[in-house]
Amino acid sequence: MYVILVYDIGEKRVGKMLKLCRQYLNWIQNSVFEGDITEVKLKELQQRAKSIMKVEEDSIIVFKSRDLKWLEKEIVGKEKNELTNFL
């Protein structure tokens, strides 16, 4: 499945969350990630994120789609982290 993950995490924990999310998804902008991920890997990411978060203060929002082709992405202005494929 294709997901867009957005988080709002306290300043003291944001570095750990950034590092965690980069292990699973592509970083595209401050606190925003996207990419293909399996349901199992997404659940693993969410469980690991919960161990970093303070659930009464922090949040994660995950937008899911079965496939990237069902999403249209438009960028206005400079793209923070352009996705490239290296072979």
Side-chain angles (χ1 to χ4, degrees), residues 73-80:
K73 179 172 144 181
E74 181 178 344
I75 299 166
V76 178
K78 183 179 183 331
E79 188 171 5
K80 292 259 186 185

Side-chain angles (χ1 to χ4, degrees), residues 59-70:
S59 64
I60 292 176
I61 301 170
V62 179
F63 300 92
K64 300 178 185 180
S65 176
R66 284 183 270 169
D67 198 309
L68 174 60
K69 69 182 178 184
W70 298 107

Side-chain angles (χ1 to χ4, degrees), residues 11-53:
E11 200 174 319
K12 293 179 181 178
R13 297 173 297 284
V14 74
K16 288 181 181 180
M17 189 63 71
L18 172 66
K19 188 175 179 179
L20 173 65
C21 291
R22 280 186 163 177
Q23 294 174 19
Y24 292 87
L25 298 167
N26 301 304
W27 176 74
I28 58 169
Q29 198 170 48
N30 300 344
S31 303
V32 181
F33 294 81
E34 70 178 355
D36 282 308
I37 191 169
T38 66
E39 189 72 38
V40 171
K41 286 291 185 185
L42 179 58
K43 288 191 183 306
E44 181 181 299
L45 168 58
Q46 290 172 322
Q47 282 301 113
R48 292 180 66 191
K50 285 179 186 176
S51 70
I52 295 170
M53 298 170 61

